[in-house]
Amino acid sequence: MFILVNLKAYPCDPIEVATAAREVSEESGVRIAVSPQAADIARVAETGVETWAQHVDPNGHGSHTGSTLAEAVAEAGAEGTLINHSEKRLKLADIDGSVRAAERAGLETCVCANNPAQIGAAAALGPDSVAVEPPELIGGDVSVATADPDIVEDAVEAAESVDENVEVFCGAGISSGDDVEAAGDLGATGILLASGVAKADDPRAALEDLVEPL
């Protein structure tokens, strides 16, 4: 099971979360990564935790003011990137372009989608993984694996029907070890979460709870 902690633009200490994630990962043997703001990627990567970007744009080098270049985040220390998060939606052609840009830079890719139909379309673009995240549950206290388990199972089936090599992650409302275990039982091989760790009073304790059943 892979745990990816998205720090979004929360006012947390990215180094505190990254350090806790690295330590819990080393102690538990569970793969944990942290996805900070682009400006913090290098600092977070220096802690030794697996570091992901929150987004990369489809363009390469050139006249693209304000873009997030895949090569730049890779050089800063990122090993992977989210694409098409529900808070950073892209057109299909741009999702494809961002996946290709990430591949060019040697980044692992996870394309987010709202439902199983979109998961199938995302899987067809050939990312390393896809993540099903119903927008209405993001940031809430009820996980998708509990509120709508069928959507997770259907997402796994949708991805497998297109490309069985694409892994399926589960996001939205994940906050406890029970949620992680439920996601795994439904066929997910990873989870995305944000507020459950980024807004926790004790990020390390929150991470320890997540990995406890694994």
Side-chain angles (χ1 to χ4, degrees):
M1 181 65 75
F2 174 46
I3 296 175
L4 177 55
V5 181
N6 178 10
L7 302 186
K8 301 191 177 184
Y10 288 135
C12 61
D13 181 346
I15 303 306
E16 178 187 7
V17 176
T19 301
R22 187 202 71 228
E23 292 174 349
V24 172
S25 179
E26 291 174 347
E27 293 166 6
S28 65
V30 176
R31 182 186 174 198
I32 303 175
V34 175
S35 183
Q37 285 280 296
D40 294 321
I41 288 174
R43 291 198 302 141
V44 166
E46 286 174 358
T47 68
V49 75
E50 181 176 339
T51 305
W52 280 48
Q54 295 180 8
H55 165 80
V56 295
D57 284 298
N59 57 270
H61 291 281
S63 302
H64 306 289
T65 300
S67 64
T68 301
L69 191 65
E71 286 84 354
V73 301
E75 289 172 8
E79 299 176 46
T81 184
L82 293 172
I83 295 170
N84 195 50
H85 189 276
S86 65
E87 296 160 357
K88 187 68 174 178
R89 300 299 300 276
L90 301 174
K91 296 178 180 178
L92 187 62
D94 289 334
I95 297 173
D96 188 26
S98 291
V99 171
R100 302 286 84 78
E103 290 177 342
R104 186 178 66 236
L107 296 169
E108 188 173 337
T109 52
C110 177
V111 176
C112 301
N114 293 349
N115 55 55
Q118 291 183 15
I119 285 290
L125 300 177
D128 295 293
S129 60
V130 291
V132 60
E133 291 192 304
E136 64 273 16
L137 297 178
I138 291 177
D141 298 323
V142 180
S143 79
V144 61
T146 301
D148 195 354
D150 287 346
I151 198 171
V152 180
E153 292 181 321
D154 291 347
V156 171
E157 291 179 5
E160 287 181 346
S161 69
V162 174
D163 186 343
E164 62 183 13
N165 294 316
V166 175
E167 296 191 65
V168 178
F169 300 162
C170 172
I174 303 289
S175 62
S176 70
D178 289 342
D179 295 334
V180 175
E181 189 171 36
D185 290 342
L186 295 169
T189 58
I191 59 119
L192 272 61
L193 80 160
S195 58
V197 172
K199 297 174 74 173
D201 292 332
D202 186 341
R204 182 186 174 92
L207 286 162
E208 289 174 337
D209 180 62
L210 288 168
V211 304
E212 192 276 330
L214 300 178

